[in-house]
Amino acid sequence: MTGPSTLQLDVSRETGTDAFVDSSDTPIAAAAAAALRAVQQHHSEPFPLPSERQVLCVANQKGGVGKTTTAVNLAAALALRGAEVVCIDLDPQGNASTGLGVEHPPGGPSVYDALIGGCPLQDVVVASAEIPGLACVPATLDLAGAEIELVAMPDREFRLRAAIEGFESSAHYVIIDCPPSLGLLTLNALCAAREVLIPIQCEYYALEGLGQLVSTIERVRAHLNPALDIGAIALTMFDGRTRLSEQVAQEVQSHFGPRVLSTAVPRSVRLAEAPSYGRPVLTYDPASRGSIAYVEVARELAARCARNDSRSEES
Ligand SMILES: Nc1ncnc2c1ncn2[C@@H]1O[C@H](COP(=O)(O)OP(=O)(O)OP(=O)(O)O)[C@@H](O)[C@H]1O
Ligand SMILES: [Mg+2]
């Protein structure tokens, strides 16, 4: 792993399982299979657990930058390494629910009931059928109307926070997947969270609008949620073959320094395919480079949470 300030990004190499299927009768295949086993063993060690529940939101008002992919795979990686994790889908598109294989028909139980109806989250949370310790609060199309309904409601910015505070759950992490806007839904997530994780796509327009996001976070911290912090920046869809990816990474690094995670998530077909099977890439293709990258992202975040824990214990 490289230090974040050096901008030597750790972009996981391709280790697709397809390459290793039952062909260990050649020396290269045997070596590759041994390397794969080592990687899998390395990745199955449990991560440190936070001493109190961490509420993290994945936000960027720019569309299609990898928010949902990050929320889903981070949640899966943390759960597969021993944490209890609840992913709250706060986007009417319901992509995180789909990506975690959780049904979300219109009118079905969802985060809308908690936000608007005051229903306890434990009544709408659905356990993952595939990954122990992982659960999802699904979003349905009903949530599309919530932005408008919330306007006239009391405590309109704090309704998700109240729902999470009253959430009877032993979850170590609550990860909120935000919609691509800075409306009341995202505001609810920013008021509920301790940390924001901002995914930034390594493309030309990546930094446009980032100033607006940062100033929104600062305003929320000043007026609504003093505990809020930008916990981490994750570079997504990094393509090491292009100078553009490197340039964007450098620019992000110069703005955000050590907040940028040292693992850049590579552009990977496996990551894009996984949601259509209702699975995180971690179970769809555990040895793919997208999967390995998200395990590293989760490892970095778990280590940061553990460091924050020990600092708050010392003070
Ligand atoms: N690292 C990656 N490599 C390849 N494809 C990716 C990667 N990350 C995300 N994608 C694909 O890019 C598209 C957008 O990703 P995603 O849905 O995670 O972004 P988003 O920020 O949540 O979008 P929205 O703003 O619409 O909610 C999806 O089709 C997803 O599968
Ligand atoms: Mg999304």
Side-chain angles (χ1 to χ4, degrees), residues 60-70 91 93 95 177-180 199 236-238 265-269 271-273 275 294:
N60 188 337
Q61 80 277 23
K62 194 175 275 294
V65 298
K67 293 182 286 298
T68 302
T69 306
T70 299
D91 183 350
Q93 298 179 98
N95 294 157
D177 182 33
C178 292
T236 63
M237 303 186 222
F238 186 90
V265 178
R267 189 173 277 287
S268 146
V269 173
L271 271 169
E273 284 171 357
Y294 273 113

Side-chain angles (χ1 to χ4, degrees), residues 49-104:
L49 293 173
S51 60
E52 57 183 45
R53 189 191 287 168
Q54 302 288 311
V55 182
L56 207 130
C57 77
V58 185
N60 188 337
Q61 80 277 23
K62 194 175 275 294
V65 298
K67 293 182 286 298
T68 302
T69 306
T70 299
V72 162
N73 290 295
L74 173 62
L78 290 168
L80 287 165
R81 299 300 172 271
E84 285 183 43
V85 188
V86 174
C87 180
I88 298 183
D89 189 348
L90 201 60
D91 183 350
Q93 298 179 98
N95 294 157
S97 317
T98 304
L100 288 167
V102 171
E103 289 193 9
H104 52 112

Side-chain angles (χ1 to χ4, degrees), residues 17-275:
T17 39
D18 308 359
F20 301 114
V21 179
D22 284 341
S23 52
S24 48
D25 48 349
T26 68
I28 283 185
L36 179 58
R37 277 195 301 278
V39 164
Q40 283 169 339
Q41 186 162 6
H42 176 61
H43 288 293
S44 62
E45 291 156 15
F47 293 160
L49 293 173
S51 60
E52 57 183 45
R53 189 191 287 168
Q54 302 288 311
V55 182
L56 207 130
C57 77
V58 185
N60 188 337
Q61 80 277 23
K62 194 175 275 294
V65 298
K67 293 182 286 298
T68 302
T69 306
T70 299
V72 162
N73 290 295
L74 173 62
L78 290 168
L80 287 165
R81 299 300 172 271
E84 285 183 43
V85 188
V86 174
C87 180
I88 298 183
D89 189 348
L90 201 60
D91 183 350
Q93 298 179 98
N95 294 157
S97 317
T98 304
L100 288 167
V102 171
E103 289 193 9
H104 52 112
S110 74
V111 69
Y112 175 89
D113 304 311
L115 262 186
I116 305 294
C119 168
L121 278 178
Q122 56 271 22
D123 291 355
V124 287
V125 71
V126 182
S128 157
E130 190 179 37
I131 301 178
L134 179 60
C136 172
V137 177
T140 61
L141 271 179
D142 306 313
L143 197 58
E147 289 272 7
I148 296 170
E149 287 174 76
L150 279 168
V151 173
M153 296 191 89
D155 293 330
R156 59 185 183 180
E157 298 95 350
F158 296 106
R159 298 187 69 88
L160 184 62
R161 181 187 182 134
I164 292 173
E165 280 172 359
F167 186 19
E168 287 170 15
S169 156
S170 47
H172 301 100
Y173 295 95
V174 173
I175 297 172
I176 308 164
D177 182 33
C178 292
S181 74
L182 290 175
L184 270 172
L185 287 174
T186 298
L187 209 52
N188 262 271
L190 293 175
C191 288
R194 260 293 302 278
E195 300 203 346
V196 193
L197 169 57
I198 306 177
I200 296 182
Q201 185 183 357
C202 295
E203 293 290 350
Y204 184 63
Y205 293 119
L207 297 168
E208 260 179 34
L210 211 55
Q212 199 190 352
L213 176 60
V214 170
S215 73
T216 301
I217 292 168
E218 277 163 6
R219 282 209 307 277
V220 170
R221 183 172 40 224
H223 302 291
L224 300 169
N225 179 10
L228 185 66
D229 197 8
I230 298 179
I233 310 284
L235 294 167
T236 63
M237 303 186 222
F238 186 90
D239 186 344
R241 295 166 305 182
T242 66
R243 280 181 54 79
L244 183 59
S245 272
E246 290 286 355
Q247 281 166 358
V248 172
Q250 258 165 26
E251 203 163 334
V252 172
Q253 187 86 26
S254 69
H255 275 81
F256 293 100
R259 285 200 166 98
V260 184
L261 297 175
S262 54
T263 307
V265 178
R267 189 173 277 287
S268 146
V269 173
R270 295 304 218 197
L271 271 169
E273 284 171 357

